[in-house]
Amino acid sequence: MGLLNNFLIYIIFLILFQLLVEVKPQDLRNSHTATLIDNKLYIIGGAGDGKYPPSPTFFYLNVSDSFDTNELKWHDLTNINNIPPFKYAAATKGGANNKTLFLYGGIGLNNESLNNLVYTFDTQNNILLTPTVTGIPPNGKVSITSVIDYNGLIYLFGGHSKELNIYTNDMFILDSINLSWKNVSSINAPSPRVEYGAVFLPNKNIIYIGGYNENVGVFALNEVYLYNTINDTWTTQKTYGSIPSARYSISSVLSLDNQKIIIYGGYGPTLLQSINPENSLYVLNISNFNWYIPKVGKMPPTRAFHKSVLIENYMVITFGKGYTQETDKDILLLDISNDNEYIWKTSFDLGKNNSTSKTSPIPPGTSILPSPDSEKANIIIGAIIGSTIGIAVTLGSFFLYKRKKHTKKQDGKPSTSQNIKDDKILHISSEKDNNNDNEILHIPSEKDSNNDKEILLIPSTTQLNSEKNEAISEVIVQNAQNAQKNEAK
């Protein structure tokens, strides 16, 4: 029994250690991926300023709680996932449960081809896999922006092929549930390109904005392109208003009311030309395709080859080229909850933004943070950490309790069990206290003349965060006959 106790405690320690490990990215990075799955913002790969890959290469930020961009707490997954260093890959969430991270394409840091076209990361078990996908894959593998629809279909348009040295405008679908490829229509599609913006719209169209082709240059934004995922058709749409200059390596998200596209950053209108900060943020109204510059405070340095995701009321912008860690932060937060004025923030205030509601359902591929009530932290060993290892912690707590009781016996102190006669047993039942979110543990007791029970309140996970040092004072045991009478009643 002692060996089993030690083994379980060791396993729990390893899990807690992995969850507690915090890292600080040591290098600037760009051309990485950023994917939000179950309150975790996963960052994979990317290029750095030097010869070697930025460190770490695979990590995440827990966004289930409020945080400050001055004190980001990254969690490193590099050591448990053997993923090759790469840049210019595409990533999105998908799979049957929409909790699998799909990583497509990219290129090695020295511009070499990668051995695998598709990787999957099981976010529930922290396992990296190289699945077999049936069918003929795309030629374009580099600098694609992936988009997923309501049915787990990942759309991959265009890209560059190092092997063929060509830019493409093919549209391929990766079925993230059945793991198969499908080539769909490219009739009237945009010209071949990379580094464009792409967003899945509520009407099941995908909008494509800007981009770059070495043979053509940077593409203008006086027109955008729409792919109808239902009819498998392409259309071109003219835009109006304050049209942005031509640009590429931009990021784009859907607004909170689902009626606008927000784009940020990039290079243009020529290759590697920096964009003035005051011209780096634009909004496209998709009801009339009118561009305008939103009211916003002082703009930070413009970033290119960055990534943006939507989390609660924030457009979260990660890493990229164009800033230094000495003068700016690895993450920018743009509060877009007020259409009249966007605000740059340094603090991600989850509680403040909890009441935000959407006017229509959001597709699985968009990065909207679930309500914090959907996944509560359940780890109780000195600290409370958001995770899903409740069973392991319960077992560990039980064995720790047994060990503590055994120690008391050795010290000559009477324990509760010593007061139990040979013909008595411990009978425990529990229920939920809806008023204060406590768990109520009912233990039969001879001291309680009214209902033969003494109620022991065990703090919930939330309370343990602030009261984790409180101890349970005592457990009173009653004989089996009284317990059976109580159950009968």
Side-chain angles (χ1 to χ4, degrees), residues 12 40 44 67 116 139 210 250 258 264 280 285 316 319 353 427 433 448 456:
I12 294 168
K40 293 178 180 179
I44 305 179
F67 62 85
N116 297 289
N139 286 320
I250 63 175
N258 295 338
Y264 170 76
S280 62
N285 189 323
V316 181
F319 300 100
N353 297 299
H427 181 79
D433 183 352
D448 191 341
L456 179 65

Side-chain angles (χ1 to χ4, degrees), residues 85-345:
F86 65 90
K87 56 187 176 181
Y88 304 126
T92 188
K93 67 177 179 179
N97 58 6
N98 211 29
K99 297 180 185 296
T100 300
L101 193 158
F102 279 77
L103 192 65
Y104 169 81
I107 193 171
L109 293 185
N110 296 319
N111 295 326
E112 71 275 14
S113 299
L114 302 178
N115 293 328
N116 297 289
L117 185 61
V118 177
Y119 289 91
T120 59
F121 178 68
D122 181 347
T123 60
Q124 294 180 301
N125 298 300
N126 283 355
I127 299 175
L128 184 72
L129 300 171
T130 54
T132 299
V133 184
T134 61
I136 300 175
N139 286 320
K141 300 176 182 178
V142 178
S143 297
I144 287 177
T145 304
S146 58
V147 175
I148 191 168
D149 70 0
Y150 296 101
N151 301 312
L153 301 179
I154 301 173
Y155 293 81
L156 301 165
F157 167 74
H160 180 263
S161 170
K162 178 183 181 299
E163 294 80 7
L164 301 177
N165 193 26
I166 61 171
Y167 291 84
T168 77
N169 66 344
D170 295 331
M171 174 68 92
F172 276 78
I173 296 176
L174 171 58
D175 188 329
S176 70
I177 298 175
N178 298 311
L179 296 178
S180 61
W181 290 110
K182 182 181 179 181
N183 184 204
V184 295
S185 175
S186 295
I187 299 174
N188 297 323
S191 56
R193 65 189 63 200
V194 296
E195 294 295 340
Y196 48 81
V199 176
F200 187 83
L201 304 178
N203 61 5
K204 301 182 181 179
N205 286 339
I206 304 174
I207 187 169
Y208 291 90
I209 304 170
Y212 170 79
N213 183 316
E214 183 180 7
N215 303 316
V216 180
V218 183
F219 291 100
L221 275 67
N222 60 346
E223 58 184 19
V224 295
Y225 306 90
L226 299 170
Y227 175 75
N228 188 312
T229 62
I230 304 301
N231 300 326
D232 186 24
T233 56
W234 287 94
T235 55
T236 301
Q237 174 64 54
K238 293 290 185 181
T239 62
Y240 309 94
S242 300
I243 300 174
S245 60
R247 58 192 64 193
Y248 69 103
S249 77
I250 63 175
S251 63
S252 52
V253 299
L254 187 66
S255 65
L256 298 179
D257 61 5
N258 295 338
Q259 300 301 311
K260 296 176 284 291
I261 303 296
I262 305 169
I263 69 167
Y264 170 76
Y267 282 138
T270 60
L271 181 64
L272 298 179
Q273 180 179 348
S274 298
I275 296 174
N276 291 331
E278 59 269 21
N279 295 321
S280 62
L281 187 69
Y282 278 83
V283 176
L284 177 66
N285 189 323
I286 55 178
S287 64
N288 57 13
F289 293 95
N290 188 75
W291 286 105
Y292 66 92
I293 298 178
K295 183 179 179 181
V296 68
K298 181 180 179 181
M299 295 292 294
T302 304
R303 302 188 185 194
F305 293 100
H306 59 285
K307 290 293 183 292
S308 292
V309 295
L310 191 64
I311 308 178
E312 282 287 330
N313 288 351
Y314 299 96
M315 183 178 184
V316 181
I317 300 164
T318 63
F319 300 100
K321 288 185 176 183
Y323 79 103
T324 63
Q325 290 176 317
E326 290 76 19
T327 60
D328 216 331
K329 307 306 176 186
D330 292 330
I331 279 186
L332 297 176
L333 298 176
L334 182 63
D335 187 337
I336 59 172
S337 58
N338 184 355
D339 273 340
N340 294 324
E341 182 178 7
Y342 296 161
I343 302 175
W344 294 103
K345 297 288 188 69

Side-chain angles (χ1 to χ4, degrees), residues 32-44 58-64 67 69 72-77 91 101 121 123 307-311 314-319 330-333 348 367-370:
H32 56 288
T33 71
T35 313
L36 180 70
I37 303 177
D38 276 353
N39 300 336
K40 293 178 180 179
L41 179 59
Y42 292 92
I43 306 293
I44 305 179
F58 190 2
F59 54 103
Y60 72 86
L61 175 68
N62 191 332
V63 296
S64 61
F67 62 85
T69 58
L72 296 171
K73 298 178 180 180
W74 298 104
H75 299 262
D76 192 5
L77 296 173
L101 193 158
F121 178 68
T123 60
K307 290 293 183 292
S308 292
V309 295
L310 191 64
I311 308 178
Y314 299 96
M315 183 178 184
V316 181
I317 300 164
T318 63
F319 300 100
D330 292 330
I331 279 186
L332 297 176
L333 298 176
F348 179 91
S367 299
I368 302 300
L369 183 68

